[in-house]
Amino acid sequence: MQIALLGGTGDIGEGLALRWAYHTDHEVIVGSREAERARTKAEEYETELVSRGLDRTIAGYENAEAAARGNVVVLSVPPWHVADTVESVADSIGEAVLVSPAVGMKVDEDGAHYAPPDVGSVTRLVADAAPDDVPVVGCFHNLAADRLANLDVELDLDTLVVGDDPDAKETVRALAEGIEGLRALDAGPIANAPEVESVTPLVINVARHNEGMHDVGVEFK
Ligand SMILES: NC(=O)c1ccc[n+]([C@@H]2O[C@H](COP(=O)([O-])OP(=O)(O)OC[C@H]3O[C@@H](n4cnc5c(N)ncnc54)[C@H](OP(=O)(O)O)[C@@H]3O)[C@@H](O)[C@H]2O)c1
């Protein structure tokens, strides 16, 4: 597969890029609003992998070019920019599967609080913004980017997958499970995305209030 990470220069993008490049043979493409930034980060990721004895090529392009090269396109941008980002690459997506890891949250002195968009979830927002023939899948919402990016750490975590297109959902589930230590569980259609996305502020609050649990995640048993 060719996996394009739009905003792959940021935290979750870095974690997913490194894990896919480290654990799988999929082609990883970093996207950014600035081509130069994408290339610089892609080189950083390559250097990290070389330090672990792995000679992988990671490409870096401006978001639309990255999207054109991916058959799976991950929207690793802040939740309030997902719709703009989808619109900016809509002509380039082709038949790719669009993946949303984004969660709407507000953070105050008490902690992180779920703050979905009016349509109910960010995954739904992405589905509404995407061209009609582009399937949208929500995944990776409840993972800590730092834990993903630290390749010394075993994940041993679950991620939840939501989507209305069974084939697209299976594609993303398989991609997620390509990452060692990650199990992908089906959480149903996009209508269930609010329940999945709302787990993220809970995870962040648990991480904040419990010593040694900085990069905590979820495992269903
Ligand atoms: N961080 C986590 O632990 C985590 C875990 C699970 C899910 N998520 C979700 O993943 C998404 C990204 O999170 P993150 O922590 O990786 O965010 P981030 O590091 O703050 O931003 C990611 C990238 O988004 C791009 N970006 C910033 N402003 C933008 C704009 N106005 N329009 C388009 N792109 C913009 C930037 O890339 P360029 O400047 O290079 O374009 C940036 O590197 C969020 O929706 C978040 O809810 C995060």
Side-chain angles (χ1 to χ4, degrees):
M1 303 290 288
Q2 286 83 39
I3 309 170
L5 293 144
L6 310 189
T9 52
D11 294 339
I12 192 79
E14 174 172 6
L16 289 171
L18 286 174
R19 288 283 170 173
W20 272 317
Y22 193 56
H23 295 305
T24 77
D25 291 330
H26 301 305
E27 190 181 329
V28 176
I29 303 155
V30 174
S32 167
R33 289 167 296 172
E34 298 285 340
E36 190 54 40
R37 188 156 53 236
R39 280 192 282 273
T40 302
K41 289 301 281 189
E43 279 169 23
E44 272 180 37
Y45 303 163
E46 285 178 349
T47 302
E48 171 65 17
L49 294 162
V50 164
S51 77
R52 293 161 186 279
L54 204 62
D55 189 11
R56 288 291 311 261
T57 299
I58 299 182
Y61 296 100
E62 189 273 326
N63 279 333
E65 179 70 23
R69 290 167 183 265
N71 44 26
V72 169
V73 176
V74 183
L75 281 162
S76 32
V77 301
W80 47 92
H81 295 305
V82 291
D84 289 352
T85 302
V86 171
E87 280 156 23
S88 73
V89 302
D91 293 340
S92 314
I93 299 178
E95 294 177 354
V97 175
L98 204 47
V99 180
S100 176
V103 174
M105 280 189 300
K106 287 200 173 100
V107 180
D108 62 20
E109 65 278 5
D110 295 318
H113 309 283
Y114 186 48
D118 290 345
V119 293
S121 70
V122 181
T123 310
R124 172 66 67 204
L125 194 66
V126 172
D128 290 350
D132 285 346
D133 50 350
V134 171
V136 172
V137 174
C139 192
F140 309 115
H141 305 93
N142 313 139
L143 301 173
D146 286 354
R147 184 156 167 168
L148 281 175
N150 184 350
L151 298 175
D152 289 331
V153 174
E154 299 255 337
L155 289 180
D156 289 332
L157 291 174
D158 291 334
T159 187
L160 299 167
V161 191
V162 288
D164 295 341
D165 180 313
D167 291 343
K169 199 153 71 165
E170 178 50 30
T171 297
V172 176
R173 201 198 58 74
L175 276 188
E177 294 216 329
I179 295 175
E180 218 172 276
L182 192 61
R183 183 176 62 162
L185 298 175
D186 188 348
I190 290 177
N192 296 348
E195 287 71 30
V196 172
E197 294 178 10
S198 67
V199 172
T200 298
L202 171 65
V203 167
I204 290 171
N205 292 334
V206 170
R208 177 176 163 182
H209 290 285
N210 293 271
E211 208 173 315
M213 299 192 86
H214 175 64
D215 291 329
V216 72
V218 174
E219 189 184 12
F220 290 84
K221 281 193 171 173

